[in-house]
Amino acid sequence: MKKVFALIIGSLLSLLFPRIGEDDGGSFSPAPREEISVDQPVEYQAASSLPEIESEMVFEISVSEIDSQGCIIPADLSVFDASSRAVFESALSKVPCELMETLQTIEIVDDSEMPRALAGKYTIKFRSDSPKKAEFESLTLHEFGHIVDLGGLRGTSDSGKSEFVDGSLPIFNDDLSVQFYRISWETSEVKKNSALDEDFASGYGASNAFEDFAECFLFYRLHGKTFKSLTLENNALKLKYEFMKNNVFDGEEFSTGDENLAMTPRPWDVTKLPVSSPAL
């Protein structure tokens, strides 16, 4: 009788107090995963000297690297002071996050001989005085254009090599950027014979296919009304505007800039244009 009673009591206790680790969804905790630091320095290399990445890279980063829209980049933003970082994050909030994921390194370079900024697939370099310039957000968005172009929009080798190259690296036919380049360019550096000065957002955009993309990227995002007004009189710019709208910004248009801004002749540099309305 005592054994029966003990069995009954034991069964009741097991129901009331299940063991940790059983399928009760209770107190069992797996061992913590090892976190990957994003603060480790990455040696700068031009995009054309870096191998293609075959598999997706996963980064665990702190909340401080996530902007208000949840955009995550595996790059250390502590290189900026507070005010410059705020401007950089404002620019970051204006671009499609999924096209910025290759940005791994941001450098501030104390070299008065270098341009205001440089960018490739993985890296942005800013000259040390650039973050203090009035056009820093515009400059940053221009460099983001290179990240999107070379890192965010990518093709596959199965489609074959296009007539465009990034240094020594081929750009493949199914890379969406090729559609943009072919509007005005025969090769990365050679314009079509039919291309006119007015087919570009700026004189600098007419330098090569990559600067054309980056200037139009910036122009579309911070000067949307100005860009759209030019499409009424220029078919090449209409095609470039539609490319940015449909292939980069997922159909979204922006009421930024001034449709009455004088753009004839074209300015040398879109980053110097006044931002006359909030860059929403």
Side-chain angles (χ1 to χ4, degrees):
M1 185 69 179
K2 288 182 179 179
K3 290 183 178 180
V4 173
F5 182 75
L7 288 171
I8 294 172
I9 294 299
S11 298
L12 289 171
L13 288 173
S14 66
L15 289 171
L16 292 172
F17 303 101
R19 288 173 296 171
I20 293 173
E22 289 186 342
D23 292 336
D24 58 293
S27 306
F28 178 74
S29 298
R33 292 178 297 168
E34 181 181 356
E35 292 194 357
I36 300 172
S37 170
V38 297
D39 295 332
Q40 297 174 353
V42 180
E43 182 179 356
Y44 173 76
Q45 290 178 280
S48 59
S49 65
L50 290 168
E52 290 298 305
I53 298 175
E54 297 295 334
S55 59
E56 292 297 323
M57 300 177 68
V58 178
F59 297 85
E60 294 182 21
I61 64 179
S62 65
V63 174
S64 64
E65 306 304 334
I66 303 175
D67 77 354
S68 59
Q69 294 186 358
C71 194
I72 301 173
I73 57 170
D76 178 16
L77 303 188
S78 66
V79 295
F80 299 115
D81 62 25
S83 61
S84 299
R85 175 167 175 158
V87 175
F88 184 92
E89 289 183 332
S90 174
L92 186 61
S93 72
K94 295 176 174 63
V95 301
C97 294
E98 67 277 9
L99 298 180
M100 290 292 297
E101 292 173 350
T102 62
L103 176 56
Q104 296 179 18
T105 309
I106 301 166
E107 297 181 24
I108 306 296
V109 182
D110 187 13
D111 180 0
S112 61
E113 299 300 316
M114 72 169 280
R116 291 174 299 164
L118 297 167
K121 185 185 298 185
Y122 304 105
T123 302
I124 296 179
K125 283 184 167 186
F126 292 106
R127 196 175 66 206
S128 57
D129 62 331
S130 293
K132 299 302 181 185
K133 292 183 177 293
E135 73 270 17
F136 182 51
E137 183 169 25
S138 294
L139 179 63
T140 299
L141 281 165
H142 172 100
E143 302 309 327
F144 284 174
H146 290 306
I147 300 292
V148 169
D149 179 17
L150 300 174
L153 303 177
R154 287 171 286 181
T156 58
S157 58
D158 291 345
S159 67
K161 298 177 182 179
S162 76
E163 61 271 38
F164 302 97
V165 292
D166 170 23
S168 61
L169 283 180
I171 297 176
F172 299 112
N173 281 308
D174 61 350
D175 186 324
L176 287 174
S177 292
V178 170
Q179 297 178 24
F180 180 92
Y181 305 152
R182 286 175 176 163
I183 296 170
S184 294
W185 299 89
E186 295 287 353
T187 68
S188 304
E189 303 288 339
V190 178
K191 291 193 289 285
K192 290 184 174 181
N193 290 333
S194 59
L196 304 172
D197 292 345
E198 292 76 20
D199 295 345
F200 302 91
S202 67
Y204 187 50
S207 301
N208 59 55
F210 308 117
E211 297 303 343
D212 189 8
F213 188 105
E215 286 286 88
C216 283
F217 177 89
L218 165 61
F219 199 33
Y220 187 90
R221 188 59 187 85
L222 284 195
H223 305 276
K225 291 191 291 187
T226 315
F227 196 167
K228 192 168 187 175
S229 70
L230 294 179
T231 66
L232 301 176
E233 59 192 47
N234 185 286
N235 189 59
L237 285 179
K238 181 179 180 180
L239 293 173
K240 293 174 185 181
Y241 182 97
E242 291 298 320
F243 177 92
M244 291 294 165
K245 174 183 174 182
N246 297 320
N247 295 299
V248 177
F249 290 98
D250 197 27
E252 187 174 2
E253 297 180 277
F254 303 97
S255 296
T256 50
D258 178 5
E259 65 268 35
N260 296 314
L261 184 67
M263 290 292 292
T264 303
R266 297 286 184 263
W268 171 248
D269 181 352
V270 174
T271 69
K272 296 287 190 178
L273 292 180
V275 181
S276 57
S277 63
L280 303 176

